[in-house]
Amino acid sequence: MRIVIGQGSCGIAAGAEKVRKALLNTSINADDISITGCIGMCYLEPIVDIYDDDNNLTRLVKVSENDAESIAEFIKSGDKSAVEQLIVSDEDSEFLSKQTRIALRNCGIINPDEIDAYINAGGYTALKKALCELTPEGVIDIIKTSGLAGRGGAGFPTWFKWNAARQSEGDEKYLICNADEGDPGAFMDRAVIESDPHNLIEGMLIGAYAIGAKHAVVYVRAEYPLAIKRLKNAIAQATEKGIIGNNIFGTDFSCDFTIKAGAGAFVCGEETALIESLEGHRGMPRLKPPFPAQSGFWRKPSNINNVETFANVGWIINNGGEAFAAMGTEGSKGTKVFAVTGKVKRSGLVEIPMGKTLRDVIFDIGGGMKTDKPFKAVQMGGPSGGCIPADLIDTVIDYKALGATGAIMGSGGMVVMDESTCMVGMAKFFLDFTAKESCGKCVHCRIGTKRMLEMLDRITKGEGKEGDIELLEELCYSIKDGALCGLGQTAPNPVLTTIKYFRNEYEAHIKDKKCPAGECSDLIEYKIIADKCKGCTLCARNCPVNAISGTVKNPHVINTEKCIKCGKCYTSCKFGAIVKE
C-alpha cells in the first residue's frame, strides 16, 4: 500500500502539508506515506493517491486534515464507503485522460525528492543513450527530426539554436535554462521543476553534450522557493551518483550545474536581458547580432531554452524524433503545456498535441465555464499575447493559427473570461504590467506604454474622447516597430486584439460612458428596486461607508454620492433587489 500526497505549490497552498501531518498521526504506517508534485488538477487540491498492492489507484480529492481518520479506515478495511465523498468523479478524471503527457509525464506521479524514483521511471536512460551511442551531431539530428520548437514563446527551432552554438568556435560554452516564468497566470515551468526536476537536468545535460558545453545554468525566479529547493536537491543527488560532474557515464563528457535566482523581472524572459542579469548587471536586452550562440554569457557561445523545451528532450531521444513529429500539425510538432486559469471549471495544467482547438481545451478538458455566464474570450500568451473572442473558439492551437488571430502561443498562459469581464479593463491590466516591467532602455517602450496606459485609464474612468481608439492603434504600431526587444514589440498585443474584436466596448466607454460588462467602477451605479426590496437590512449592514438607509421591512435607498461602488450590497442581496447599471 502506498499513500502519495500531492505537494506542488498549489497542493501545499490548499493544505496538503496539513493533510500529510494528519495522516502521520493515524494508524497508517509512516513508511507508506510519500509525496509527489503537481499532477495538474489544481482545482481539486489537496489530492491523495492511494495505490494498493496491485498498483490499483484510488484518487481522493479536496482532502482536508479532518479526513485523515476516514482514509486510515479505508486503508485498513478496503471499504471505499469511508471515503466515497472524496473519490474523484468520472467527469473530473477526464481532465487527465484527454491529455497527452510528455513534458508532464512524471509530474504528480513520482517523488521529486528521490532520484531513484526518476531512475525507476526510466530516467537518465536518454542521457546514457546520447552519450554512449550518439554523436553530438546525431543528437541534434534527432531533435531536428522531431520538429521541437522552443516552448518559451517564440517557437524557434531548437535544433537550429543548438547547431549554431555547436558550430561556434570556442572551448568554453554555456547551456542556460530560462526558468524566469513571468507571465501572470502561467505556472508550467514551476510545476515541472517542482514535480520532475531530474527531467529538466537530463534534458539540459543532453543539450550541453550536443552543443559542447561544460557548464549548465538554470536561471529561475526567486519567487519559486520550492522549485529552487527541489532543484538543488536533485542536482546534489545527480552529482553524488556521477550523473553531473566529470566523465559522466564513463565518457569524456563533463558538465557542472549552477542555479541563479533571478529578481523576477519580466524583461529577463528575453534571452540577452537574462544573460545581462546572469552577469550581475541590470536585466536589459542587448542589440542583436551578435546572437547568444556566438556571443552570450561572458561573451562565450551560449544556448538558451526554457524549462518545457528541455522537459521534452529525454522523451524524444528515447522514443525517436519521428514519434514526437507524428503529433501536432505540419508547422507545429509535438505537445504543448498550458496553464488554464480564469472563469473555467477545471483550472490547472493541460498538455495536448498541437492541432487541438481552443474549444477542446476550454470546454472538453476544462469543463467549460464555472459561472452561468457565457464564454467571452481567452487571453493567450500573457501580457505579450492577445484576446481571442468566442466566435474564434474553434481556432487550431498551433503557432501559425494563433498568430493569425493577433494572439501568440507564448509560454502557455491561457486566461478564460466570461461576459462579466471588461475587455478594456483586461487590456489595461496587461498593459499596466508591461509598462511597469519595461526595463526603460528604449523610448518607444518606456514612454509609449506609459502613454497608452494613461489613455486606457481615462477610458475606464469615463473620460475617454473621440479619436482615442485611433490614437491607441497608432501608438501600438509605433511601439511594435520601434521597441528594441520582444517585451516592447508585443506589449501592444492585448490592446490591438481587444480593439479588433471588442471595439464596441471601447466605444461604449467613450461615447456612452458605460461599461457593458459592469466592471469599471467609475462607470457603474448601484440602485435598489423598491418593489423587490424586502427591507432585510443585509445590504445596509454590509455597506462599509453607510451609504444605504432604510428601516426594517421597508425598501432601502442607496446614497449614490456616498457609494464607493465596492459591490458588497450587490453580492449580499438575496432577493435580486439591487441592480448594477
Side-chain angles (χ1 to χ4, degrees):
M1 182 73 70
R2 290 188 298 125
I3 300 93
V4 183
I5 305 166
Q7 291 219 347
S9 287
C10 53
I12 294 172
E17 180 58 16
K18 293 179 181 178
V19 171
R20 188 185 71 85
K21 289 179 179 178
L23 289 173
L24 287 171
N25 288 325
T26 66
S27 59
I28 301 172
N29 188 334
D31 292 337
D32 293 335
I33 300 174
S34 63
I35 68 165
T36 187
C38 174
I39 200 165
M41 306 171 82
C42 304
Y43 68 107
L44 293 177
E45 296 285 3
I47 297 174
V48 176
D49 286 343
I50 301 173
Y51 295 87
D52 65 18
D53 294 336
D54 295 323
N55 212 36
N56 296 311
L57 169 65
T58 301
R59 173 160 291 146
L60 309 181
V61 299
K62 295 185 178 180
V63 181
S64 77
E65 53 194 310
N66 298 326
D67 297 316
E69 289 298 337
S70 297
I71 295 172
E73 175 61 28
F74 162 60
I75 290 172
K76 180 180 178 180
S77 66
D79 183 5
K80 288 189 177 182
S81 63
V83 292
E84 187 175 359
Q85 75 280 6
L86 301 174
I87 296 175
V88 66
S89 68
D90 292 339
E91 183 178 327
D92 284 320
S93 295
E94 292 179 352
F95 180 84
L96 292 177
S97 64
K98 292 182 177 180
Q99 298 183 38
T100 301
R101 295 199 150 201
I102 294 178
L104 303 180
R105 60 191 179 277
N106 296 321
C107 295
I109 298 174
I110 67 171
N111 189 332
D113 287 335
E114 296 180 0
I115 189 171
D116 287 340
Y118 181 69
I119 291 173
N120 291 337
Y124 291 117
T125 56
L127 175 62
K128 188 172 184 178
K129 177 180 179 181
L131 299 185
C132 301
E133 301 177 23
L134 300 169
T135 63
E137 291 77 12
V139 170
I140 293 173
D141 282 342
I142 292 175
I143 299 300
K144 181 178 182 179
T145 300
S146 74
L148 176 65
R151 296 303 196 238
F156 199 77
T158 301
W159 78 270
F160 191 91
K161 293 179 72 171
W162 287 16
N163 192 52
R166 173 78 189 167
Q167 293 181 346
S168 293
E169 296 182 1
D171 294 330
E172 190 173 12
K173 297 180 181 180
Y174 291 89
L175 183 97
I176 301 168
C177 174
N178 178 1
D180 188 54
E181 188 173 46
D183 290 9
F187 48 93
M188 300 78 60
D189 292 350
R190 186 198 73 203
V192 170
I193 300 175
E194 289 178 356
S195 307
D196 197 12
H198 288 283
N199 186 24
L200 171 61
I201 292 170
E202 182 171 23
M204 290 183 67
L205 286 170
I206 294 170
Y209 171 68
I211 73 170
K214 298 179 181 178
H215 310 284
V217 183
V218 183
Y219 185 94
V220 60
R221 300 177 71 78
E223 294 95 331
Y224 287 176
L226 182 61
I228 293 173
K229 176 184 175 182
R230 288 181 176 167
L231 184 58
K232 283 182 177 178
N233 178 61
I235 290 171
Q237 290 177 340
T239 302
E240 185 178 350
K241 282 189 176 287
I243 294 172
I244 293 174
N246 296 322
N247 305 115
I248 300 172
F249 288 128
T251 67
D252 293 334
F253 175 64
S254 301
C255 187
D256 58 51
F257 258 78
T258 305
I259 297 175
K260 166 69 175 178
F266 182 60
V267 72
C268 287
E270 198 280 332
E271 57 184 11
T272 60
L274 184 153
I275 290 171
E276 285 288 304
S277 179
L278 272 178
E279 293 179 355
H281 307 138
R282 183 179 178 187
M284 301 176 79
R286 299 174 180 173
L287 285 170
K288 294 185 288 188
F291 293 94
Q294 288 77 43
S295 177
F297 189 36
W298 300 127
R299 299 302 190 269
K300 304 294 184 181
S302 306
N303 180 89
I304 301 178
N305 290 112
N306 85 323
V307 174
E308 187 186 340
T309 307
F310 287 121
N312 285 295
V313 170
W315 189 94
I316 292 171
I317 295 299
N318 272 334
N319 294 276
E322 295 84 357
F324 191 82
M327 295 177 281
T329 63
E330 183 62 31
S332 302
K333 303 295 186 182
T335 62
K336 179 72 187 79
V337 180
F338 293 96
V340 184
T341 60
K343 304 291 181 69
V344 65
K345 287 181 182 177
R346 305 173 197 155
S347 57
L349 290 174
V350 173
E351 184 172 3
I352 55 162
M354 299 277 202
K356 293 284 188 178
T357 66
L358 292 173
R359 185 187 299 275
D360 293 330
V361 175
I362 297 169
F363 286 92
D364 196 21
I365 297 174
M369 312 308 292
K370 67 179 178 182
T371 65
D372 57 357
K373 297 177 181 177
F375 168 70
K376 185 175 187 177
V378 58
Q379 172 75 11
M380 293 284 296
S384 301
C387 291
I388 301 174
D391 57 0
L392 295 180
I393 187 66
D394 292 310
T395 297
V396 170
I397 296 174
D398 69 9
Y399 291 101
K400 184 177 180 180
L402 290 177
T405 68
I408 61 172
M409 183 87 68
S411 59
M414 189 180 287
V415 183
V416 181
M417 294 165 275
D418 64 16
E419 288 291 346
S420 66
T421 303
C422 172
M423 304 312 294
V424 184
M426 178 60 68
K428 176 185 168 184
F429 169 80
F430 282 112
L431 194 66
D432 178 65
F433 178 84
T434 48
K436 288 175 179 175
E437 292 292 333
S438 172
C439 74
K441 187 170 185 176
C442 59
V443 174
H444 287 80
C445 182
R446 182 179 72 244
I447 304 298
T449 55
K450 182 67 175 174
R451 297 290 86 85
M452 287 175 62
L453 181 60
E454 290 170 350
M455 293 179 66
L456 288 172
D457 190 53
R458 282 196 295 100
I459 292 171
T460 56
K461 288 181 177 178
E463 300 170 2
K465 300 177 294 185
E466 288 288 340
D468 276 351
I469 299 176
E470 290 74 21
L471 183 55
L472 273 172
E473 290 178 311
E474 183 179 341
L475 275 170
C476 284
Y477 291 116
S478 295
I479 294 168
K480 287 176 77 72
D481 292 340
L484 176 63
C485 80
L487 187 151
Q489 292 162 4
T490 59
N493 285 348
V495 179
L496 285 172
T497 52
T498 50
I499 290 176
K500 179 179 180 180
Y501 299 117
F502 302 96
R503 192 182 188 95
N504 61 314
E505 290 200 24
Y506 281 84
E507 291 172 346
H509 281 72
I510 295 170
K511 297 177 181 178
D512 304 328
K513 309 303 179 187
K514 294 288 184 181
C515 175
E519 194 173 54
C520 297
S521 59
D522 289 292
L523 300 180
I524 60 177
E525 187 175 302
Y526 291 98
K527 291 183 179 180
I528 296 177
I529 301 174
D531 292 344
K532 290 187 176 182
C533 181
K534 306 298 182 182
C536 70
T537 76
L538 188 60
C539 59
R541 284 182 277 135
N542 278 279
C543 181
V545 293
N546 299 317
I548 302 176
S549 59
T551 57
V552 178
K553 295 185 179 181
N554 289 301
H556 284 45
V557 177
I558 298 176
N559 185 334
T560 55
E561 292 184 0
K562 290 181 65 176
C563 177
I564 60 172
K565 302 174 182 178
C566 66
K568 288 189 176 180
C569 60
Y570 179 75
T571 55
S572 65
C573 181
K574 298 178 180 180
F575 305 103
I578 301 178
V579 295
K580 186 165 53 173
E581 296 182 347

